[in-house]
Amino acid sequence: MKKTIITILGIVLCFSSVYAQEILKLDPVKKIDILVPEPSDIAHSQDGKSLFVVSDNGYLFETDLEGTLIRKADYKGLDVEAVYVNTSHVYVVEEFTRKIKMFSLPDLILEKTVKIPYYGGRNKGYEGFTYNKAKAVFSLFVEKDPLYVFELDENLEKVNEINLGKLARDISAATYYDHHLWVLSDEDRTIFKLNPNDYSVLAKWEIPVLNAEGLTFGADGNLIIASDALERLYYFNNPENIQR
Amino acid sequence: MKNTFCLLFTLFIGGFVQAQVSFSTGEHNIEISSRISTFYNQRFLKDGESDRDKNRFRLRDAQLIVEGRISDQWEYEVQVDFADIGANNSGDIDPENPGLMDAFVTYKGLDAFNIKVGYSKLPYSRSSLTPFPATTYWQRAQFVRGDFFSRRDVGLTLYKDFWKKRVNAYAGIYTGLGESSISGGGDNDASGNPEFIGRVDLSYPAPMKYRQVDYVHTPIPLFAIGINGRFANKNLPEGEDFPDGAAGEFGLKLIDGKKYTYGMDFTFQYRGFSGLFEIHQIKAEPQNENDALFLGLTPDQTEGKILAGGYLSELSYFFKDIKTIVSVRYEQLDLNDLNIGDSKRFSGSLAYQLKGFDAMVKLQYFNNLNEQESLDPLDWNSQLRLGLQFNL
């Protein structure tokens, strides 16, 4: 009996080719509970004065930098999981319908809807969306099984598809900051800094946030993470300024 | 050589497992998935025992699952296990593997509560509600396998969540025959009476899913506590019996009389550790003094009732870096308080994730520490079960 168990343990360990790497753990400097139900992504406005927050329940909100509600779009989507904002529009991604919705920034009126078909699991669809300035494409991230990134042109038409392999167990959000792509993994509780041209990992940090679903950088370069389950924003110093 | 083999095996499985496929019109989304699991079981018999028929390979699951959602108001699911349909052709339904696993429709368009109708899992027992693919064991604990209370039935469930989904409340009415409700033409037993079930659970500080393993190494302690109860008055008319097999292996699943079942569960997750404690009691009041559950004792001795019950406790840890989960379980069971003794079992399990929970090698070790010999004699001391689980 003992030999059998030892043999099986040996087989299990031989499969275990992944070993832990030293990874820096970040500590938040501030936490704020927000009134947005189940926040599933956040994006910092280009003027640095507000946050756009989307909810699993299908809503789009604008809040101040402390998470206080400023306005809400007249819109009810299905499983909204990603948001990106530029100087003229707010882009919202619905995981359930596989649609990207484009709202005008001044009045949050829906201007355009584009469907990007994807036949993976219903709850394993689009989770991250941002504009990749280095390649001049939008990057649309699939959550898992497999981890895809779809590149879209300015008309939101798919022009490329890349399998990110075993980058993380899942991806729950993405943003572009300081000439790099940054993605968040909820299941790994990890932030990855990626080369925006080939999506290779340049650095990573562990965060103590439960159910982290949104990330963005503030005008001051510091990091904001949204926890869906706790309906809370976590504020971190810029991870690249932290000494190992 | 060994490492090369391991690498090739992992790559093969990783490429094979691609999980669900879905189709969407925008408003209507249909997802199709399948589940296959198979194991080899080896029993270590007691001295003098010679029946080795349980030493075998077995196809546990061969399931096809179709889940649909229309807008955010309607949901439906049909889940069929072809392996169980084949195994149940003999007429006996395994309550843990009943063939038809789910066939229900849910309406979420009301503010007050959601409505689920059809055949599905019953809102009783956290362990029972935890999906099999999310566990590291090949078999659920004895008390929650479906021999003491049904795990599925046909009926109506109303449910609602509160306080940011931290509180979930369920209430339902069902045929009361459990997994046997869908056989025999779908008729009720001769009493014609239903079963009522209610459950409330509270999680803090965030909502908790019905999961055994802390696979994200949650950075803050999460707790959940649940209480549940169920009642059926199944007084059969004279000369009538329950459908074959409906009363379960120990005659406790359905009582010719009144049956009260109540239980509570507590679970936690923190930094890869997770634990579950669950306790249940059945109070049965058979209408006939000569009911077999009274074990031939007089009404003065039995006071017209019998009690059965038990508890289970599980502790698990997820070694994230080596994708391995280790879990231990201890369970106690008293089949009838009119009979002296109880049974106790220890189980250990080890699961290696080839690709998350969608592809796992699972090993379970069972050890029969003590048994209630006159009510449930066993011919084995321990057993090992090793196999593969795929969600495709």
Side-chain angles (χ1 to χ4, degrees), chain B residues 177-193:
Chain B
L177 287 182
E179 292 79 4
S180 297
S181 291
I182 52 175
S183 58
D187 288 342
N188 200 346
D189 58 81
S191 78
N193 289 333

Side-chain angles (χ1 to χ4, degrees), chain A residues 34-45 50-64 67-77 80 82-85 90-92 103 105 108 231 233:
Chain A
I34 57 172
L35 293 175
V36 175
E38 300 178 57
S40 50
D41 198 11
I42 49 175
H44 203 266
S45 65
S50 65
L51 296 171
F52 285 84
V53 188
V54 286
S55 160
D56 268 340
N57 300 345
Y59 300 110
L60 166 64
F61 299 89
E62 185 178 11
T63 74
D64 67 15
T68 304
L69 298 186
I70 298 172
R71 57 179 175 155
K72 178 185 171 190
D74 182 18
Y75 154 73
K76 176 72 170 72
V80 180
V83 62
Y84 165 73
V85 58
V90 183
Y91 297 77
V92 164
F103 297 82
L105 181 60
L108 295 185
E231 297 181 0
L233 296 181

Side-chain angles (χ1 to χ4, degrees), chain B residues 300-319:
Chain B
D300 285 345
Q301 292 171 305
T302 65
E303 299 176 350
K305 65 176 172 56
I306 72 117
L307 299 175
Y311 65 86
L312 69 98
S313 49
E314 285 177 4
L315 185 65
S316 309
Y317 184 74
F318 180 33
F319 293 92

